[in-house]
Amino acid sequence: MENKKIVVGNMKMNLTASEIDNYIKEIDKYDYNEQVVFCPSYIYLPSFVGKGYRCGAQNIASYELGAYTGEVSARQVSSMKIDYTIIGHSERRNYFNETDEIIRTKITLALKENLKVILCIGETLEQRDALKTYEVLKRQLTSALKGLDKFQGIIIAYEPIWAIGTGKTPTNQDIEDTISFIKKIINDICGQELKVLYGGSVNDENITKLNTIKNVDGYLVGGACTSAERFNKIIEVVVNQ
Ligand code: PGA
């Protein structure tokens, strides 16, 4: 697993119960290993876990337990045999006002429960145009990671916000350069190597090209993972390379 790429499907707030049933029937035709992680809405997680699929929550609460109506804690997620949680997705940062501080709290809670963390970072188009990409990524990484007492189990997902759901992606060279920068910053902060995924409009048509990027450790897929057929095509390219 150490050197193997992983493919994470973030299904966001998509698919109904019957669509999930069909989805699982489709993926049951294949034999996925631990390189593939499904992140459906909370309510569908048990259906995936029950079939032995690796799963992740899309979010966790920033509180440990108690009277927080509508929230789901890291401990609850972990107690359901769910291995991963996404933290700091740009949709959470933007629509739910998650600050760097909240994200850091969530990482600490997740690691305490031995959840693997997929920490999303990325720049807006405005920041990119102002040549602030590296500065933004460094700030996001530093505030999330600096001073943590363990780093094992943290995976970074580099997702340029302007590439999410837009059909646009940076060039391969651009992604490679940015991932090199992220890996250097991670090493400066924690003296370790962490996996770095790319996310943002990854689909079954561009994955063959994206998968030639040398330093990428996998992909975080949104829209294209809501179709089992399209997601399977992506997985086949990455896992069978
Ligand atoms: P997308 O989403 O693949 O639809 O661009 C990626 C993500 O938000 O993680």
Side-chain angles (χ1 to χ4, degrees):
M1 188 62 184
E2 277 307 296
N3 298 319
K4 289 190 176 156
K5 286 185 185 170
I6 66 170
V7 186
V8 183
N10 173 12
M11 301 167 92
K12 309 192 181 181
M13 201 174 70
N14 291 301
L15 305 184
T16 61
S18 61
E19 287 167 341
I20 286 286
D21 284 348
N22 288 334
Y23 189 98
I24 292 176
K25 273 189 205 127
E26 271 303 305
I27 59 173
D28 278 349
K29 292 181 194 158
Y30 310 106
D31 192 19
Y32 294 143
N33 61 17
E34 74 283 357
Q35 289 173 264
V36 182
V37 181
F38 292 91
C39 304
S41 298
Y42 284 128
I43 49 172
Y44 304 136
L45 278 163
S47 308
F48 285 81
V49 174
K51 290 273 192 162
Y53 293 105
R54 292 291 139 98
C55 287
Q58 295 176 12
N59 176 40
I60 51 162
S62 55
Y63 300 96
E64 200 152 7
L65 87 169
Y68 300 101
T69 302
E71 292 292 296
V72 178
S73 73
R75 183 172 303 173
Q76 290 173 319
V77 168
S78 166
S79 73
M80 292 291 291
K81 311 244 175 305
I82 293 156
D83 296 319
Y84 291 83
T85 181
I86 298 173
I87 294 182
H89 190 281
S90 65
E91 288 150 18
R92 301 287 324 167
R93 292 182 194 253
N94 293 337
Y95 306 146
F96 301 95
N97 303 319
E98 287 195 7
T99 59
D100 285 336
E101 201 183 355
I102 292 172
I103 288 160
R104 168 141 183 137
T105 303
K106 290 186 178 192
I107 294 171
T108 310
L109 290 169
L111 292 177
K112 198 170 157 203
E113 299 302 330
N114 292 318
L115 287 173
K116 295 192 177 84
V117 170
I118 300 163
L119 169 67
C120 301
I121 58 170
E123 80 286 359
T124 62
L125 192 55
E126 219 176 21
Q127 290 162 337
R128 185 181 186 84
D129 288 346
L131 305 178
K132 294 220 157 98
T133 299
Y134 284 9
E135 191 185 308
V136 169
L137 298 177
K138 186 173 176 185
R139 193 205 72 227
Q140 291 173 335
L141 284 167
T142 307
S143 67
L145 303 179
K146 199 164 185 171
L148 288 181
D149 53 12
K150 75 170 184 183
F151 299 96
Q152 210 190 351
I154 301 178
I155 294 169
I156 307 299
Y158 169 53
E159 300 203 297
I161 296 170
W162 52 273
I164 295 176
T166 58
K168 293 183 194 145
T169 57
T171 63
N172 277 13
Q173 188 60 53
D174 224 334
I175 298 173
E176 190 173 320
D177 291 347
T178 309
I179 289 182
S180 290
F181 173 78
I182 291 169
K183 290 191 171 182
K184 184 194 167 294
I185 297 297
I186 292 170
N187 198 43
D188 289 350
I189 296 172
C190 56
Q192 293 187 25
E193 285 182 19
L194 302 180
K195 276 191 193 302
V196 181
L197 315 182
Y198 169 76
S201 292
V202 176
N203 61 44
D204 44 321
E205 280 163 16
N206 61 19
I207 189 61
T208 306
K209 178 171 168 247
L210 287 170
N211 203 38
T212 59
I213 300 169
K214 289 191 201 75
N215 56 0
V216 71
D217 299 304
Y219 303 90
L220 178 52
V221 184
C225 85
T226 58
S227 150
E229 194 191 340
R230 294 181 70 197
F231 195 38
N232 183 59
K233 283 189 190 155
I234 296 170
I235 292 164
E236 298 241 288
V237 171
V238 179
V239 172
N240 301 333
Q241 77 174 156

